[in-house]
Amino acid sequence: MKKGMDKYPKKRKRKSSKIVKSLPIISILLIIASTIIVSTLFKEDFKKIENEISRVLNPNLKFIEDVSVYAKQNYQEYGILPSITIAQAILESDFGRSALSKEYNNYFGIKSINKDEKRVIFSTKEYVNNNQIEIKDAFKVFDSMEDSVKYHGLLIGTAKIYQKVVEAKDYVEAANMLYECGYATDPAYAQKLIEIIEQYKLYEYD
């Protein structure tokens, strides 16, 4: 009797042990299956959440997204490549961290030639005969980022001097034309824009 009783619990114990051992594997499989189903059903929602998290964690990406909204509008209205507009805003304002952009919404270093308009005097670096010098100059003041980007579009899109920028077939040519047309005095201006565009894949906005 004792022997029979000893064998029976042992068998039950082995079955129970097998079930317990298989539980982690079943749990993992269920988690994987659930993840696949949920990710398939809500793929777009996850992408939106992922993008939003990236924007919060990386202020540079948020700045790019903010400027791109108005850059695309400039493209529709004037034909200016969004990658060029965004890259200029990045370069000229240091992702919106410069005093001129933070305090006066001037994201493109646009100077003022009208004494009756909103303007501010700032120190700026210019190149004369390939030598960098610092001077004080007047810059336009804008009410918002939107106003700043729209004015940039108006300037590049309608001023005859920048016609070659608008007609450029790609961002490389447009960047070079900006320098040749006199937008900036920095000899490396075009190359800096191109590097920014390629680093942040801004050509995807074109």
Side-chain angles (χ1 to χ4, degrees):
M1 191 75 182
K2 264 187 177 180
K3 288 182 180 178
M5 287 178 70
D6 287 339
K7 286 180 182 179
Y8 184 68
K10 283 180 183 178
K11 286 183 181 179
R12 289 188 64 188
K13 192 174 181 182
R14 280 199 293 272
K15 277 187 179 180
S16 176
S17 176
K18 285 181 181 179
I19 292 170
V20 170
K21 284 181 181 179
S22 64
L23 277 176
I25 298 171
I26 294 170
S27 299
I28 292 168
L29 290 174
L30 284 172
I31 291 169
I32 292 171
S34 300
T35 304
I36 292 170
I37 293 168
V38 172
S39 63
T40 303
L41 292 173
F42 302 102
K43 191 175 182 181
E44 289 186 9
D45 290 337
F46 278 138
K47 194 173 182 181
K48 287 178 183 177
I49 293 170
E50 188 179 16
N51 289 341
E52 194 57 37
I53 291 171
S54 296
R55 280 163 57 91
V56 172
L57 295 179
N58 192 334
N60 289 355
L61 295 182
K62 183 181 185 309
F63 180 82
I64 289 171
E65 287 297 316
D66 290 344
V67 175
S68 72
V69 174
Y70 310 116
K72 288 175 184 177
Q73 292 175 7
N74 282 352
Y75 176 70
Q76 293 296 325
E77 192 163 354
Y78 304 108
I80 306 163
L81 292 173
S83 60
I84 286 293
T85 301
I86 301 168
Q88 279 195 277
I90 291 171
L91 181 58
E92 298 282 354
S93 75
D94 186 25
F95 289 96
R97 288 187 281 263
S98 70
L100 186 60
S101 59
K102 281 174 71 176
E103 297 173 30
Y104 303 100
N105 292 302
N106 189 330
Y107 292 87
F108 300 92
I110 297 173
K111 293 177 181 176
S112 169
I113 56 174
N114 184 357
K115 291 182 179 180
D116 296 325
E117 68 183 356
K118 290 181 183 178
R119 59 188 344 219
V120 62
I121 305 300
F122 255 89
S123 292
T124 182
K125 292 175 182 177
E126 299 287 351
Y127 286 80
V128 178
N129 297 324
N130 288 335
N131 294 316
Q132 190 182 73
I133 61 171
E134 189 168 312
I135 62 171
K136 289 188 179 295
D137 214 334
F139 292 85
K140 289 179 71 68
V141 173
F142 297 97
D143 294 327
S144 64
M145 173 187 279
E146 181 179 3
D147 289 343
S148 182
V149 181
K150 282 185 174 181
Y151 185 87
H152 175 266
L154 178 68
L155 175 65
I156 302 298
T158 61
K160 194 172 181 181
I161 190 173
Y162 297 117
Q163 188 175 346
K164 289 182 179 179
V165 178
V166 179
E167 294 174 347
K169 64 180 183 293
D170 55 39
Y171 66 85
V172 174
E173 185 180 340
N176 282 295
M177 288 303 105
L178 271 170
Y179 175 70
E180 285 188 25
C181 292
Y183 191 96
T185 58
D186 181 357
Y189 191 76
Q191 188 56 39
K192 287 177 181 178
L193 290 179
I194 292 168
E195 287 175 2
I196 289 171
I197 290 170
E198 293 177 348
Q199 179 182 352
Y200 292 96
K201 299 181 180 179
L202 301 182
Y203 46 75
E204 293 181 354
Y205 291 93
D206 293 344

